[in-house]
Amino acid sequence: MNKRAFLIAGVVAAVVAFAAGYVVSPGGGAGGGGSSGEREILYYVDPMNPSFRSPEPGTAPCGMALEPVYADGQGGGSDQRGVINVRADRQQLIGVTTSTAVHATVPHELRLLGTVEVDETRFYDISSITEGWIREISNATTGSYVRKSQVLAKYYSDDAYNPQQAYIYALNHMDREVRTGQRAPDQGTPFEKNIINTTQALLNVGMTQEQIDRIKETRKEEFLVEIRSPADGFILERNVFLGGAFKPVTTLYTVADLSVMWILADAFETDERFLKPGAEATISHPALDDDLRAVVTDVLPEFDAATRTLKVRLEARNPGVVLRPGMFVDVSVPVELGPALTVPRSAVLDSGSRKMVFIDRGEGNLEARKVTTGWSYADRVEILKGLKEGDEVVTSCNFLLDSESRMRSAGSDPLTEVSIDPICKMEVEHAKAMANGLTSEYDGETVYFCNPGCKETFDKDPSAWPLDS
């Protein structure tokens, strides 16, 4: 009887001891050193606030059960370095979302700031050839729109009188020879050469062809030389006044045709590939009812060493003359980036010294992975290394997960830099491969292998094995 009672008491004691151990270590490990198969628990953390620590298990301030942090740098039951386990209900609670890394072509609008300038080929400078005095002047002032051949002013010049007399004399003598039959109408004479020479002399003193034709018709001298607009456009500069005198090579008027304008846009060096001649863009400004179409010209962009930018020239038609010289406008150039492996911008955590993402491995396991990025436009980021197509990356709550990952890692770096073995397509940790001498250099890149056999196979013919990030 005593023997039977002793056995019953032993069984009860064993059950109590197991129950006590389960309460102390809900994660399956002992709170102390334990046996070689157990994991040592350092402390417990609030799953919603990893900065909250407790030496004992229990309930967190948020109402959820505290989770253990193990001495091997992991928590939540995960045995992989750089991986944390967040249950599906917790992910839903804190708002974790994911997206797939895909190879894609990304449409984008390159936005630039542009300055409106006058087209140099539509810029007219009316300068004096001789000295003179303004005797008549129109009411066209700076900013006025003028038509081609419109008379802007008239001036007197001593140099214009004698060439007119010589021109009329040559015309009269040639007419007399034709009337008297001394030559046929189509037969040239010395007077015909004189007409050509005197016509050029009148042009050289500033007389327009319209005025010369009128003198030919009337055969009368005109004492005032007309200043006419060379094209339809706006007067940008007016340096004449009634009764004023001027010297040779004086700018009297500046007229610009504003029907077509130049836009000089500032672009970074890296954007030059999107701004090839013929590339189309749109011009917008609050004063414009509709956007205007512009085209990149075939002129080599100028580089500004002070701002480290390129001056790209575009050309745009200017209906209604809504674009004015000196105006600032927005330039939008549609471009396509890729194809490239991309993820949403929100998936990448950038600390300055490194960039990382969290990969969803399933069953609540989230792996911190260091990545190398390329271009970043709109809401997409190019991934050069660290991911492969199809990887599910976390796109929200990354900072919270990063904080929890660091807390569970007990101060160690949770990121393990990995790449794909080109032979067996297995993931390889760079540190382990380098420690075991399982690396090769090919085409300026370090290749990592999981075993000596893969390295030997690759080294025999590296070009036969495509490299994956």
Side-chain angles (χ1 to χ4, degrees), residues 23-24 26 41-45 52-59 66-67:
V23 171
V24 171
I41 297 177
L42 298 177
Y43 48 82
Y44 297 83
V45 297
F52 177 85
R53 300 185 183 186
S54 173
E56 300 294 336
T59 302
L66 293 172
E67 292 189 357

Side-chain angles (χ1 to χ4, degrees), residues 146-219:
V146 294
R147 294 289 186 179
K148 182 178 181 179
S149 298
Q150 178 178 331
V151 178
L152 304 179
K154 296 180 181 181
Y155 65 87
Y156 172 81
S157 174
D158 291 334
D159 297 332
Y161 187 71
N162 290 334
Q164 289 186 71
Q165 287 186 321
Y167 177 63
I168 295 173
Y169 179 79
L171 288 173
N172 292 335
H173 273 270
M174 188 175 68
D175 290 345
R176 187 181 303 110
E177 289 184 348
V178 172
R179 286 196 307 269
T180 59
Q182 296 182 20
R183 77 170 185 91
D186 58 348
Q187 182 180 0
T189 67
F191 289 105
E192 190 172 67
K193 185 176 181 181
N194 289 340
I195 292 174
I196 296 174
N197 292 337
T198 53
T199 300
Q200 187 61 50
L202 292 174
L203 293 173
N204 290 342
V205 296
M207 191 168 286
T208 62
Q209 187 62 50
E210 291 88 348
Q211 193 171 7
I212 296 173
D213 292 339
R214 191 168 61 244
I215 294 172
K216 179 180 180 181
E217 182 179 350
T218 63
R219 304 297 169 93

Side-chain angles (χ1 to χ4, degrees), residues 26 45-48 60 62-68 75-78 84-96 360 362-366 401 404 408:
V45 297
D46 182 347
M48 297 298 293
C62 67
M64 301 178 66
L66 293 172
E67 292 189 357
S78 174
I84 60 174
N85 186 277
V86 183
R87 298 190 308 270
D89 58 337
R90 276 193 59 210
Q91 291 189 30
Q92 185 176 6
L93 180 63
I94 64 177
V96 173
D360 188 350
E363 299 182 354
N365 293 317
L366 304 175
L401 297 175
E404 185 164 343
R408 293 187 179 189

Side-chain angles (χ1 to χ4, degrees), residues 48-329:
M48 297 298 293
N49 182 17
S51 62
F52 177 85
R53 300 185 183 186
S54 173
E56 300 294 336
T59 302
C62 67
M64 301 178 66
L66 293 172
E67 292 189 357
V69 174
Y70 298 99
D72 59 7
Q74 297 300 320
S78 174
D79 292 324
Q80 302 180 53
R81 187 171 184 267
V83 177
I84 60 174
N85 186 277
V86 183
R87 298 190 308 270
D89 58 337
R90 276 193 59 210
Q91 291 189 30
Q92 185 176 6
L93 180 63
I94 64 177
V96 173
T97 58
T98 62
S99 179
T100 305
V102 295
H103 275 283
T105 299
V106 179
H108 174 64
E109 279 194 343
L110 182 63
R111 309 279 303 192
L112 307 172
L113 177 64
T115 305
V116 179
E117 301 287 349
V118 177
D119 184 343
E120 291 178 0
T121 63
R122 300 170 184 269
F123 195 88
Y124 304 93
D125 183 84
I126 306 174
S127 298
S128 61
I129 300 176
T130 183
E131 65 177 358
W133 294 264
I134 300 296
R135 289 290 182 255
E136 296 181 14
I137 192 168
S138 71
N139 58 0
T141 60
T142 302
S144 296
Y145 180 75
V146 294
R147 294 289 186 179
K148 182 178 181 179
S149 298
Q150 178 178 331
V151 178
L152 304 179
K154 296 180 181 181
Y155 65 87
Y156 172 81
S157 174
D158 291 334
D159 297 332
Y161 187 71
N162 290 334
Q164 289 186 71
Q165 287 186 321
Y167 177 63
I168 295 173
Y169 179 79
L171 288 173
N172 292 335
H173 273 270
M174 188 175 68
D175 290 345
R176 187 181 303 110
E177 289 184 348
V178 172
R179 286 196 307 269
T180 59
Q182 296 182 20
R183 77 170 185 91
D186 58 348
Q187 182 180 0
T189 67
F191 289 105
E192 190 172 67
K193 185 176 181 181
N194 289 340
I195 292 174
I196 296 174
N197 292 337
T198 53
T199 300
Q200 187 61 50
L202 292 174
L203 293 173
N204 290 342
V205 296
M207 191 168 286
T208 62
Q209 187 62 50
E210 291 88 348
Q211 193 171 7
I212 296 173
D213 292 339
R214 191 168 61 244
I215 294 172
K216 179 180 180 181
E217 182 179 350
T218 63
R219 304 297 169 93
K220 293 181 179 180
E221 299 92 342
E222 297 193 0
F223 294 96
L224 298 182
V225 179
E226 297 173 344
I227 302 174
R228 293 175 177 259
S229 174
D232 294 346
F234 288 84
I235 297 178
L236 301 185
E237 189 177 1
R238 176 178 182 262
N239 297 317
V240 298
F241 54 92
L242 192 61
F246 55 83
K247 297 293 184 181
V249 198
T250 299
T251 298
L252 305 177
Y253 287 90
T254 299
V255 178
D257 177 3
L258 304 185
S259 62
V260 176
M261 302 295 287
W262 284 352
I263 291 89
L264 301 182
D266 293 315
F268 292 111
E269 297 174 74
T270 53
D271 294 328
E272 185 177 7
R273 57 191 173 123
F274 305 125
L275 300 168
K276 299 300 182 184
E280 295 191 359
T282 55
I283 307 300
S284 59
H285 186 275
L288 302 178
D289 294 331
D290 297 305
D291 292 344
L292 298 178
R293 176 180 172 272
V295 177
V296 178
T297 65
D298 57 358
V299 177
L300 186 67
E302 297 180 7
F303 182 72
D304 189 334
T307 60
R308 309 300 299 175
T309 58
L310 294 169
K311 287 285 186 184
V312 181
R313 194 172 82 190
L314 301 94
E315 189 175 273
R317 299 203 65 82
N318 190 20
V321 198
V322 290
L323 297 178
R324 306 294 174 84
M327 181 183 289
F328 291 108
V329 293

Side-chain angles (χ1 to χ4, degrees), residues 9 101 284 408 417 428 438:
S284 59
R408 293 187 179 189
E417 195 167 5
V428 183
L438 299 177

